[in-house]
Amino acid sequence: MYELFKDLGSWLTSGDQWSGYDGIAHRLAEHLQYSLLATLIAMAIGLPLGLLIGHTGRGAFVAINLASFGRALPTVGLVVLVFLASGLSMWPVYIALVALAVPSIVTNTYAGMTAVDPDVKDAARGQGMRWHQVLFQVELPLALPLIMTGLRLALIQVVATATIAAYVSFGGLGRYVFDGLAQRDLVQVMGGAVLVAVVAIALDLALSGVQRFLFRHRPA
Amino acid sequence: MALPMNRRALLGGLFAAAAVPALAACSGGITSLDEGSGSSGGGSGSSAGGLTIGTANFTENQVLGYLYAAVLDAAGVQTKVRPNLGSREILIPAMKSGDIDLLPEYQGALLHYVAPKATATEEGEMQNALTIALPAGLQVLPYGMAEDSDAFVVTRETATKYGLTSLADLKKQNGKLIIGAAAEVKTREVGVVGLKEVYGVEFKEFKSLDSSGPLVKGALKKGDVDVANLFTTDTDILDNGWVVLTDPENLIPGQHIVPLIADRKADSTVRKALAELGNVLTTTDLTELNRKVDKDKKDPEDVANAYAKEKGLTK
Amino acid sequence: MTIDWSWIGDHTDDLTTLTVSHLQAALSAVFFGLLISLPLAVVAHRVRPLRGFLLGLSNVLFTIPSIAIFVLLLPVSGLTRTTTVIGLTVYTLVVLLRNTVEGLDSVPVKTKEAAKAMGTRPFRTLLTVELPLALPVIMAGVRIATVMSISLVSVATYIGDGGLGQLFTDGFQRDFPTPVIAGVVLTLLLAVVADALLVAVQYVLTPWTRRRA
């Protein structure tokens, strides 16, 4: 057992392991690329959707249950299905990751919007603001903390799941888990797992810090 | 403010309902609700308690697994097939620990896995070498007629472009070509390691794909890889006009199908049934069975049963 | 990409077996998750210093990719259903722990003090006051854990188990969408039905949260 951890330590710190095509630096970069791009795409889809549902109040059923649906979707199945439809490309990876992140973003954006005091919205309308002014100048700023939490959670989820890229021959940290399985190289598997966890946690802490700073003047 | 009786009963009932399947999962690691195999008592092998056939994560191995099951069932041995378990690196430890009892293997590949520096090349020699090299508790039964070897394959265009006919020719392109294969090939003697040692070949990059499956073949077609590790029974090689690089130094040993079995299950009934199968199944037959599963989308189990019946191995 | 309906017709037996196997794995994981998380949550709730540690540890565990956990368990319990259930339980445990602690936190202090004033011992308070009041949040956790578990079972196909997940690797190897589609649909159906059932259970168990007519 101790041997395993010692080997893991050397694997994570050896210069060899960091350089080259299969090196940690490259795989890490790939993993971050998949995660960030997928989250950005999910934001582009989920934010407007969440804002709209939150502002108009219509489609609330969708917003609330989308998260459940997203959670139920088997990523392996989705990746394979898109792969069979589109062949060897990044589509399966991005579609699966976006499908995972969108529900979380929509639900949290919607939650943020519904948390806005209706009296404040009334007051804004009473002052003669049009719907887009109410949305962007009143609701959005007030909903921002919860929206940002939703984005943060989505990113973390995506980082943890981007290992699926390895299912269909691509890179990222999932490569270490998959190759380690095939080669029965447990140190490699552990290395991959530890790296994913570290990246996810680091991003989580960093973004929470940013959130705390941005909203430091708001009442708790 | 206690929960009234009926709600407590409901809660308890739910808990119990969930507990039943949970406890079932606990008892001896059953993989489904079907009966698993038990290992039989001591002495020299007995298949009385039934046996579990494991198969690797590619089509042909599953066809073989179901063929074994078909002939063993006909001989009165209770079998259970566990398809798609993974690479040899996963399967051999599973055999050692008793999770599976029987595995369709490939003579030369197995030998080089348990004894990387083995030099035997002739089938009889390899069989002896295997008997010596295999860990205690495992043995190989006589090898069958059918054979499926590893092949390193390039497209016709690549072969013409770089003048490639044999594995030795790859050395001239050191550092330029990308090879695609299942991840485990990177660390195997019959793989990247051996190619370097025997032919001095170095690749620009190794792409972890799969065992003669959609990933590696797709990559070869698309040009994402220059060299692909496929299996000789894969009909796509012929269908696409791909070139199999020759092996003058005999890095790739002959790979007859050979059953790998746990000692405790190897009784005369099992031996007889599998030997009969080995003497009937030809490479051509096997290739055809693979094609039925991959291209015609038939179930490996159905294809195996039909074949066994047709050849008179089962009723 | 088309569905071969005749394949589905021919394979209803297999699909049923896989669905049952799939459900059994998911439910076992939720069961064991509850079994372990309940006492742990009580400890985390009552013992201040341990709380941060337990919740932090579970957050870390949650970020480990599920495929990695399954693979790392192989030397422990081999290619068996046990490995799958242990792996899944790690995740259900995390979700249930978080929710149970949150649920216990949500019990009004005044209510607990009232019970104490009446002479109720701490354990009985837990059983008859705190847990029932925490039930809505705990049930929300059970719902999340169950749905998540049903989705995660298919990852175990890479270690030879996986319930409906086996349809995915099969379809992948043979370039055959039908089993994959069947697997995705059945998984989603299982999740929807399980979720709906749990909503019904929650409704029955917590009458005081129902809206007054």
Side-chain angles (χ1 to χ4, degrees), chain B residues 101-232:
Chain B
D101 305 311
L102 174 61
L103 179 58
E105 262 292 0
Y106 303 87
Q107 220 188 19
L110 180 60
L111 178 59
H112 281 265
Y113 178 76
V114 292
K117 301 299 171 205
T119 51
T121 48
E122 187 266 323
E123 287 92 3
E125 284 178 356
M126 287 202 277
Q127 195 75 357
N128 290 333
L130 268 173
T131 312
I132 301 172
L134 278 171
L138 298 181
Q139 59 175 269
V140 279
L141 298 180
Y143 61 89
M145 276 203 297
E147 192 173 354
D148 179 15
S149 303
D150 276 287
F152 292 96
V153 169
V154 294
T155 59
R156 201 156 281 282
E157 294 77 35
T158 313
T160 326
K161 180 169 172 197
Y162 296 109
L164 302 171
T165 44
S166 90
L167 289 173
D169 294 333
L170 286 174
K171 187 165 174 200
K172 291 181 272 168
Q173 311 300 329
N174 267 2
K176 289 200 231 150
L177 299 177
I178 303 178
I179 180 171
E184 58 268 22
V185 173
K186 192 174 184 198
T187 48
R188 282 191 185 167
E189 187 67 28
V190 183
V192 175
V193 174
L195 281 171
K196 174 117 201 285
E197 278 175 12
V198 174
Y199 290 101
V201 178
E202 278 175 19
F203 294 99
K204 175 171 171 217
E205 200 185 298
F206 176 90
K207 280 208 167 126
S208 299
L209 299 169
D210 54 12
S211 303
S212 213
L215 289 177
V216 71
K217 289 190 277 190
L220 187 63
K221 265 190 219 157
K222 216 170 151 219
D224 284 347
V225 298
D226 303 302
V227 183
N229 175 213
L230 302 178
F231 297 149
T232 48

Side-chain angles (χ1 to χ4, degrees), chain A:
Chain A
M1 191 60 175
Y2 173 66
E3 275 301 315
L4 211 59
F5 282 106
K6 217 165 59 142
D7 289 335
L8 177 62
S10 8
W11 189 89
L12 284 170
T13 52
S14 93
D16 268 346
Q17 198 48 56
W18 277 84
S19 61
Y21 186 76
D22 199 32
I24 295 181
H26 183 230
R27 295 296 182 212
L28 193 55
E30 286 176 323
H31 199 99
L32 284 171
Q33 178 201 327
Y34 304 153
S35 311
L36 290 170
L37 189 52
T39 309
L40 278 170
I41 298 174
M43 268 171 66
I45 301 175
L47 271 178
L49 206 56
L51 288 174
L52 206 60
I53 299 179
H55 177 79
T56 59
R58 270 179 255 168
F61 181 76
V62 170
I64 298 173
N65 289 298
L66 200 57
S68 266
F69 178 81
R71 211 175 286 126
L73 203 60
T75 30
V76 179
L78 191 55
V79 167
V80 171
L81 207 52
V82 180
F83 172 79
L84 291 179
S86 69
L88 262 178
S89 68
M90 288 300 296
W91 281 110
V93 179
Y94 282 114
I95 290 184
L97 289 176
V98 169
L100 182 69
V102 165
S104 182
I105 295 177
V106 169
T107 305
N108 280 291
T109 305
Y110 173 76
M113 294 289 280
T114 51
V116 173
D117 192 340
D119 291 339
V120 176
K121 285 194 283 192
D122 265 343
R125 268 185 236 120
Q127 285 185 341
M129 284 191 180
R130 310 261 289 288
W131 73 268
H132 50 88
Q133 289 171 310
V134 177
L135 175 57
F136 290 110
Q137 293 177 24
V138 177
E139 287 182 286
L140 184 53
L142 285 174
L144 213 48
L146 272 173
I147 295 179
M148 269 207 70
T149 302
L151 293 175
R152 179 167 59 92
L153 289 177
L155 180 61
I156 307 308
Q157 251 187 311
V158 168
V159 167
T161 318
T163 45
I164 55 166
Y167 294 1
V168 281
S169 85
F170 293 106
L173 297 169
R175 194 73 270 153
Y176 293 134
V177 179
F178 252 66
D179 289 357
L181 168 61
Q183 297 161 357
R184 204 163 210 268
D185 179 359
L186 289 174
V187 173
Q188 201 181 161
V189 177
M190 278 178 84
V194 164
L195 287 168
V196 171
V198 165
V199 170
I201 294 170
L203 280 172
D204 195 17
L205 289 174
L207 289 175
S208 313
V210 169
Q211 257 186 293
R212 250 193 311 255
F213 176 73
L214 281 180
F215 305 119
R216 63 193 179 283
H217 297 308
R218 303 239 182 150

Side-chain angles (χ1 to χ4, degrees), chain C residues 39-123:
Chain C
L40 268 183
V42 173
V43 168
H45 172 70
R46 294 199 173 173
V47 182
R48 288 256 98 206
L50 278 181
R51 186 201 166 89
F53 171 71
L54 283 172
L55 287 177
L57 181 61
S58 52
N59 280 338
V60 170
L61 283 175
F62 203 65
T63 58
I64 302 179
S66 50
I67 173 86
I69 294 212
F70 286 131
V71 176
L72 291 171
L73 283 169
L74 283 179
V76 173
S77 42
L79 286 173
T80 60
R81 174 44 67 89
T82 312
T83 304
T84 309
V85 173
I86 297 179
L88 290 170
T89 306
V90 170
Y91 295 98
T92 56
L93 186 53
V94 167
V95 171
L96 290 168
L97 184 66
R98 274 190 217 158
N99 274 66
T100 311
V101 171
E102 198 183 307
L104 288 172
D105 283 348
S106 72
V107 174
V109 182
K110 295 228 164 89
T111 316
K112 285 191 282 195
E113 284 177 359
K116 197 167 164 192
M118 273 170 31
T120 326
R121 309 274 279 281
F123 186 67

